[in-house]
Amino acid sequence: MDLYLIKQLLLYCTVINYAILLIWFTVILLARTSIYRLHRRWFQLPDTSFDVIHYSGMAIYKIGILLFNLVPWITLCLLLPSN
């Protein structure tokens, strides 16, 4: 597989994953109460635990994006000459 193709793929993956992260944050920000009620039907979940779970999940997801998409893309940008 061509390194330039991998470089483009990593860039697209980074953009898509950050879009997913922004959508997740926006949905939690705007529709938090309805999502909390939905989760409360399934689990005995206190209000503060709900927030901790979602924001911790967002943080782990963001770290994953940085480690597996953005850092390799930056590395390839530094190593490969631009087209």
Side-chain angles (χ1 to χ4, degrees):
M1 186 176 251
D2 188 21
L3 287 178
Y4 292 104
L5 181 63
I6 294 173
K7 181 179 156 183
Q8 281 190 326
L9 180 70
L10 286 170
L11 178 63
Y12 290 138
C13 287
T14 302
V15 170
I16 290 168
N17 282 316
Y18 268 114
I20 291 169
L21 184 66
L22 286 173
I23 290 169
W24 184 5
F25 177 74
T26 305
V27 167
I28 291 297
L29 187 68
L30 298 177
R32 184 190 171 285
T33 55
S34 60
I35 294 172
Y36 176 66
R37 279 185 295 188
L38 178 68
H39 283 97
R40 198 174 51 192
R41 288 183 196 167
W42 300 328
F43 310 106
Q44 296 296 325
L45 196 61
D47 193 35
T48 56
S49 295
F50 177 78
D51 291 336
V52 168
I53 289 169
H54 275 281
Y55 289 117
S56 298
M58 285 183 215
I60 292 169
Y61 191 70
K62 186 176 180 180
I63 290 170
I65 295 169
L66 291 171
L67 287 177
F68 298 118
N69 292 331
L70 193 60
V71 170
W73 178 75
I74 291 171
T75 304
L76 286 176
C77 284
L78 293 174
L79 292 177
L80 298 176
S82 60
N83 289 352

